[in-house]
Amino acid sequence: MSARLELSDLHKRFDSVEAVSGLSLALGQGEFLSLLGPSGCGKSTTLAMIAGFLQPDQGDIAINGESQLRVPPHKRRIGLVFQDYAIFSRLSVRSNLAFGLEAQGVGRAERQRKVEAMAEQLRLGHLLERGGHSLNMSEMQAVALARVLITEPALLLLDEPMSNLDATDRADLRGELKQLQKSLDQSVLYVTHDQVEAMSMSDRIAVMRDGHIQQVGSPEEIYRRPVNRFVAEFIGDPPINIVPCWVKTSGSEICVNTACHNDLYMGHGDLSEGTHWLAIRPHVFKATHEASENSVALPVRFIENFGSEHVLHLQYGEDLVGVVVPPGFAEGRDLIHVSLDAAGVHLIDRTSEAVVRRRAVEVAA
Amino acid sequence: MSSDKPWLVVLKRSAVILSMVIAFFPIFWLVSTSLKPFDEWANWPPIWITDRPTLQNYRIVFFPEAAREFAAAQEGSLDYKVSGSAWKSFQDSAIISTLATFFSVVFGTLAAYSVVRFRTGGENYPFQFLTVRMFPPIAVVVPMVAMFSVLKLSDTYFGLILAYTAFTLPFSIWMIRSFIEDVPAELEGAAMIHGMGQFKAFLTVTLPLIRGGVLSTALFIFILNWSEFLFALVLTSGDVVTITIQVANYVSASSGKLYGVQAAMGSVSTLPVILFGYIIQRHLVRGLTFGAIKR
């Protein structure tokens, strides 16, 4: 039976470092929630506290409404796949899978049956008699997942489970994992620093930095409406462009100039005049071959080829900006005409780094 | 190797041979002396290998009547302990060394586990523990004698076992700690997540992985205990006799130190250590190459 998880006001300090600071987060039943952030942001510490390996200094961890603080790890009914998988290398794959059942006192015949069933479900049958020491990374990953799912955990924690895999295995696994999670209606907390993994699998994402949650929302929300510069920069591939801009206000109307584009009207708001930041997704720039009324000609510095699309890196004042174009668009050209619509750009306050204004959120894809 | 110049090879091999000679000479001399008759023990120039090998020294060690016979023949008197057999000292040493090693390694393993996994005592704790051992034992021996006599621990098995355990514990903790550190905490975590309590996870997952390290630590501690002299000397007074004390007792009023007898006893007392080392040899190698554990 899948579970709900509530974290409320968690704190954990290591010596002088506040690893997790006032973290509150709720995971619904059957939800796939990613904890996304750079290394050292406190996401693994959070995971260790949920699993019971670390005791929080403050705050509460509740599963289905019951506090887990006094429950030892082995009684929390949590499954955890470790980053390095922690396969018992002296045991066979079969014994690895049966390990949890055995520790829980499940009878031999039942163990046998469940191991076979799980091996079939995750297509591990051919590995069962192999030794744990002989597996490659992607096999270890699969065995670790099977070993944990076989105990039917109320809550599944995954700690960067793909960081040891190569790109094609990762892409395969993303799909499989998502399907599996849906079919089992399994509550999953997925810890990762890879925004592609988080975006592609999650129902919701919690972006974390320096022990604090920055933003929680659906992948769509996080992508389209980042709350601050950090989230804007962390999400999206190719990455968002951040350029300086100059804000003029008349009444409460905000008008923004950048190094190359002028008079972007950002609607009404309260913001000091002067230098701030403008965050622009690479898809938001409109690139053309011909000059138009509000386009500027920008020199092409280099081109990244992603097959289905190219990213032009153009000189934009003192910065380079990335602009997404169809393949072949910039062939043999030194200058590209680029226009910018205020819709879909994010105005970031230079001191708080919070996104203070954004216009219409629909972005030309 | 193949690219080495011939003179370099010769130099290297000479160095190896030289160090082997230095290392093995005391053992050779011990065994050689143990087989010499009385008048050759302290001969000058030294007799390297005797022409008249005898087992008399060994008989004196193990058979009281041979010792008495010898004493009578030499017109001197042997110490009363020497006129008894060495069997008891082997028995005493075996009991004390084995139990003290056992306790030291068991407590050492548990303490090391606590230090590694729970950061017990903070960052420098194991080192602080080790500094305890930097006291020369002679500095603490006098207060210990006083304490032991008040606590009625002098001249008992328990007293020496306690002293040996206490004094080897820092080594146990220090050595076993490094082996536990090599076992990823995740492995235990995985066992715990799958339904095992922490102690059971330690026993089933970690302990088998550090077995080699624990056994090499045990051998090291056993050798320390087996050859310990100072505590055995001052904390006993005749009821408990360890082999080191027994060796020192082979002194006669008329002839001074009985080198041949001491050598015979010394030769025999190295055997258990060699035997123990041989039995756990396989694990010793594993213990030393432990870093290669697959994560």
Side-chain angles (χ1 to χ4, degrees), chain A residues 51 53 73-74 78-80 82-84 86-88 90 99-100 103 133 135 140 147-148 151, chain B residues 123 185-198 200 204-205 208-209 293-295:
Chain A
F53 299 145
H74 63 284
I78 282 174
L80 171 54
F82 293 88
Q83 184 168 2
D84 293 323
I87 298 298
F88 302 120
R90 298 174 310 119
F99 189 92
H133 58 90
L135 303 176
M140 276 168 106
R147 184 177 67 177
V148 106
T151 60
Chain B
E123 208 58 34
E186 287 189 348
L187 280 180
E188 268 168 46
M192 277 151 73
I193 276 295
H194 287 91
M196 275 190 181
Q198 180 145 25
K200 197 175 173 205
T204 49
V205 175
L209 289 172
I293 177 178
K294 185 168 181 178
R295 284 178 173 247

Side-chain angles (χ1 to χ4, degrees), chain A residues 283-306:
Chain A
H283 299 90
V284 170
F285 284 113
K286 219 168 113 196
T288 49
H289 288 151
E290 308 301 326
S292 68
E293 194 187 336
N294 47 16
S295 74
V296 288
L298 299 176
V300 178
R301 292 300 178 217
F302 65 96
I303 301 173
E304 279 181 288
N305 186 341
F306 291 101

Side-chain angles (χ1 to χ4, degrees), chain B residues 42-61:
Chain B
N43 211 42
W44 190 264
I47 294 165
W48 298 102
I49 294 174
T50 179
D51 298 331
R52 299 180 284 136
T54 168
L55 288 176
Q56 189 196 25
N57 298 326
Y58 290 91
R59 276 199 295 276
I60 293 172
V61 169

Side-chain angles (χ1 to χ4, degrees), chain B residues 155-172:
Chain B
D155 214 9
T156 61
Y157 288 142
F158 181 71
L160 270 189
I161 292 169
L162 190 68
Y164 286 4
T165 304
F167 269 78
T168 55
L169 198 53
F171 291 132
S172 283

Side-chain angles (χ1 to χ4, degrees), chain B residues 165-294:
Chain B
T165 304
F167 269 78
T168 55
L169 198 53
F171 291 132
S172 283
I173 295 174
W174 187 264
M175 291 173 73
I176 294 170
R177 185 188 69 125
S178 64
F179 294 113
I180 295 178
E181 274 173 350
D182 285 344
V183 179
E186 287 189 348
L187 280 180
E188 268 168 46
M192 277 151 73
I193 276 295
H194 287 91
M196 275 190 181
Q198 180 145 25
F199 190 64
K200 197 175 173 205
F202 166 69
L203 290 181
T204 49
V205 175
T206 308
L207 199 57
L209 289 172
I210 63 169
R211 190 176 51 195
V214 170
L215 283 173
S216 22
T217 306
L219 177 64
F220 175 70
I221 303 285
F222 182 80
I223 292 172
L224 285 182
N225 290 341
W226 189 251
S227 56
E228 206 286 330
F229 181 64
L230 181 65
F231 287 131
L233 181 68
V234 299
L235 298 177
T236 65
S237 50
D239 282 352
V240 175
V241 182
T242 68
I243 47 167
T244 51
I245 299 298
Q246 180 75 2
V247 167
N249 280 341
Y250 287 118
V251 176
S252 103
S254 57
S255 324
K257 291 202 178 76
L258 306 175
Y259 291 124
V261 183
Q262 290 183 326
M265 176 103 189
S267 304
V268 175
S269 59
T270 54
L271 290 179
V273 177
I274 294 172
L275 191 70
F276 186 20
Y278 184 76
I279 291 170
I280 68 163
Q281 190 184 30
R282 193 166 55 89
H283 300 291
L284 274 185
V285 177
R286 263 192 60 111
L288 297 173
T289 58
F290 194 73
I293 177 178
K294 185 168 181 178

